[in-house]
Amino acid sequence: MALQLAHGTDWSTTLARAVAATPEAFDSAAGSATLRNLIQGDWRPIGRPSPLTTGVDGSTLANLSRLDAETALTAVRHAAAAHRDWAATPLPERKARVVAALDALTEHRDLLAMLLVWEIGKPWRLARADVDRALDGVRWYVDQIERQTAGREPLPGPVSNIASWNYPMSVLVHAELVQLLAGNAVIAKTPSQGGAVCLTVAHALMHRAGLPVALLSGGGEELSEVLVRASEIGAVAFVGGRSNGGKVAAALLDTDKRHMIEQEGLNAWGVWEFSQWDSLAGHLRKGFEYGKQRCTAYPRFVVQRDLVDDFLDVYLPVVKSIRFGHPLAVDSPGDALPELDFGPLISAAKAEELHRKVDEAIRAGAVPLHRGKLSRGRFLDGQTVGSKALSAYVAPTALLAPPGRSRLMHAEPFGPVDTIVVVDTEEELLAAMNASNGALVASLACDDEELAGKLASDLQAFKVGINKPRSRGDREEPFGGRGASWKGAFVGGDLLVQAVTTGGADERLYGNFPQWSALPPNV
């Protein structure tokens, strides 16, 4: 029996709900829409139309309106004026407006989540978790902000946010709302690959609550100079790859702007003198959530040679049982949405790039331990291998011993592809886990926690888990990176507020800066 779309989840219905909720943010026609830009305090129908497609089935969802640099600069200057007024707004009023925005976002929680399903391919459970994490996280800051801002002032200019597509709510909107609580106006650039409709609805609700927010669309080459270097900008928050992150960092070298630049790193899980295999299996499965398209995924396993057989006995059944496919495909229209580990990658181009990297590694000598088949996924009738509707999907893949010249040996795949490296000594373990010159997280599976702690001290990762994974973390727990995975101030909890406020001329932020590097207490 062919799978069908769950009732009421088709894109036309979802888009109509978005337009009905926030009509001011759309130029809409029958079955389609063009997103407006939120600049100069209003939603404006200007910019060059550019289609937004989805990896879910290859269809076009809507059109972005891409701005040029001159228009973006005008928007930045208006945001700077709004920032001055907002910085002078008493904290109780700022809190009240942020809470009003949170209440509106909560009311539309399921719409925001369904937009994420269509735009970036997140399964329903994970899409709702992305929205909930943003809302719950900011409510914690609302309760803490008086303590966090005591003796501190907002930045001299608005915060510019340039974020990737994979966590529009729990990373981008979450950060913006905290920046607003701290007294800063905010500017956000919509990701070009996905999440723009969700962000448009979210920012419309934030704007209605009286928050000084701007949302701009445009290419990085067109807008980065303005959104990074404009003198009016008080801080830059960037989430993305090392290539673009490096360009942002280079553009800031001759400035004193606050910055938080999160870049990719090859997060590794080392297995050394270990026997607790049952506990590892659950971690392995959870690691495939969202196809490993997240900054804290673990795509590299470094395994002691004597333990390879035991590791594979646990690992291979897990990877072969991963559930993937169209995130809205059900047996009957009235059925509940499927419980999948992941859907498509963000685009057909990303899927093709990942296929090339896998083929390259195998030709160079990597051993294909497992190459999943798309035929095992859950897809709608018409989504067949070779069709445009299936072009963004990649089945789980595991490679043993990627060669040193392979791109998969040193770089994060950002997809459901694992590499396994076999080592004989502790020194080899550390070298293989540090292959990408810095990472955000790492973990060690080791029965001797004292030994694991000693090994962890030599890992170039910001957070290291002992017999457990590490994640981004919010609230009390800081977040950052080591080496090339991060540049600038660390964030999370009190450090996020400190990064977007000032505490005096002699203040030293915790972070990974060119001139010095420091870790916050208890990290």
Side-chain angles (χ1 to χ4, degrees), residues 266 299-302 357-358 360-362 364-369 398-411 417-422 432 435:
L266 184 58
R300 164 65 48 79
F301 295 91
V302 182
K357 289 180 179 179
V358 169
E360 170 194 87
I362 292 173
V367 178
L369 289 176
L399 304 180
L400 177 68
R405 62 184 179 276
S406 164
R407 286 179 289 176
L408 287 178
M409 181 61 189
H410 300 282
V417 174
D418 283 346
T419 53
I420 299 168
V421 176
V422 180

Side-chain angles (χ1 to χ4, degrees), residues 36-162:
R36 294 178 172 179
N37 287 282
L38 178 54
I39 57 175
Q40 300 177 59
D42 200 5
W43 289 99
R44 298 179 183 269
I46 57 175
R48 175 171 54 85
S50 176
L52 285 170
T53 60
T54 173
V56 170
D57 62 8
S59 62
T60 297
L61 301 180
N63 289 302
L64 284 173
S65 297
R66 291 176 175 261
L67 300 178
D68 57 28
E70 182 178 354
T71 306
L73 182 57
T74 300
V76 167
R77 289 171 175 165
H78 183 277
H83 173 84
R84 290 190 289 272
D85 292 339
W86 184 246
T89 301
L91 179 56
E93 175 65 16
R94 298 201 306 260
K95 288 175 61 176
R97 295 194 197 181
V98 168
V99 169
L102 288 170
D103 290 344
L105 292 165
T106 301
E107 180 183 351
H108 293 282
R109 174 252 202 172
D110 283 354
L111 169 60
L112 295 167
M114 186 56 67
L115 291 170
L116 293 182
V117 173
W118 272 107
E119 290 194 84
I120 62 175
K122 280 195 174 178
W124 177 239
R125 175 178 60 85
L126 299 180
R128 286 188 298 174
D130 189 10
V131 178
D132 291 344
R133 183 174 173 185
L135 304 182
D136 294 344
V138 176
R139 290 190 189 279
W140 179 85
Y141 282 93
V142 169
D143 292 336
Q144 301 293 322
I145 196 66
E146 291 184 23
R147 172 186 62 79
Q148 292 172 324
T149 56
R152 306 187 67 80
E153 298 293 333
L155 296 174
V159 181
S160 175
N161 294 270
I162 305 171

Side-chain angles (χ1 to χ4, degrees), residues 217-472:
S217 295
E221 295 297 325
E222 298 168 296
L223 301 190
S224 62
E225 181 73 12
V226 174
L227 297 180
V228 174
R229 289 189 59 85
S231 59
E232 293 85 355
I233 297 294
V236 177
F238 172 89
V239 179
R242 289 193 181 184
S243 176
N244 289 332
K247 293 175 183 176
V248 172
L252 292 171
L253 278 177
D254 61 349
T255 76
D256 59 356
K257 279 191 178 70
R258 294 283 179 92
H259 57 278
M260 299 77 74
I261 303 177
E262 176 187 331
Q263 301 173 110
E264 66 195 59
L266 184 58
N267 306 318
W269 198 307
V271 181
W272 189 262
E273 301 294 346
F274 181 71
S275 64
Q276 305 166 55
W277 300 109
D278 288 345
S279 65
L280 184 61
H283 298 318
L284 293 173
R285 182 176 196 94
K286 188 174 177 60
F288 272 96
E289 286 187 347
Y290 195 36
K292 302 206 172 188
Q293 295 179 104
R294 61 187 193 281
C295 65
T296 54
Y298 287 83
R300 164 65 48 79
F301 295 91
V302 182
V303 185
Q304 185 178 7
R305 188 177 302 275
D306 288 346
L307 301 179
V308 170
D309 53 343
D310 290 326
F311 174 78
L312 293 180
D313 283 345
V314 172
Y315 175 84
L316 288 176
V318 170
V319 73
K320 291 177 180 179
S321 69
I322 295 299
R323 303 158 300 186
F324 66 97
H326 191 302
L328 302 172
V330 294
D331 293 314
S332 300
D335 289 351
L337 293 174
E339 283 286 333
L340 300 179
D341 295 296
F342 64 88
L345 298 194
I346 189 59
S347 67
K350 176 59 184 178
E352 177 59 29
E353 174 191 332
L354 195 53
H355 284 308
R356 288 198 303 269
K357 289 180 179 179
V358 169
D359 291 344
E360 170 194 87
I362 292 173
R363 287 196 305 270
V367 178
L369 289 176
H370 176 72
R371 282 184 281 187
K373 303 293 188 292
L374 289 182
S375 58
R376 294 191 58 191
R378 292 175 53 88
F379 298 108
L380 300 177
D381 188 31
Q383 284 190 293
T384 56
V385 176
S387 70
K388 177 183 177 183
L390 206 64
S391 58
Y393 291 85
V394 175
T397 301
L399 304 180
L400 177 68
R405 62 184 179 276
S406 164
R407 286 179 289 176
L408 287 178
M409 181 61 189
H410 300 282
E412 181 181 22
F414 224 65
V417 174
D418 283 346
T419 53
I420 299 168
V421 176
V422 180
V423 295
D424 293 294
T425 67
E426 293 176 4
E427 291 75 18
E428 289 177 341
L429 176 84
L430 295 171
M433 293 184 70
N434 289 331
S436 69
N437 183 26
L440 304 175
V441 297
S443 286
L444 285 163
C446 182
D447 291 343
D448 185 341
E449 294 196 4
E450 182 177 351
L451 172 60
K454 290 174 59 179
L455 293 171
S457 65
D458 289 320
L459 290 176
Q460 291 299 305
F462 183 78
K463 295 181 180 180
V464 180
I466 307 300
N467 297 320
K468 65 180 181 180
R470 298 306 311 270
S471 64
R472 183 184 181 89

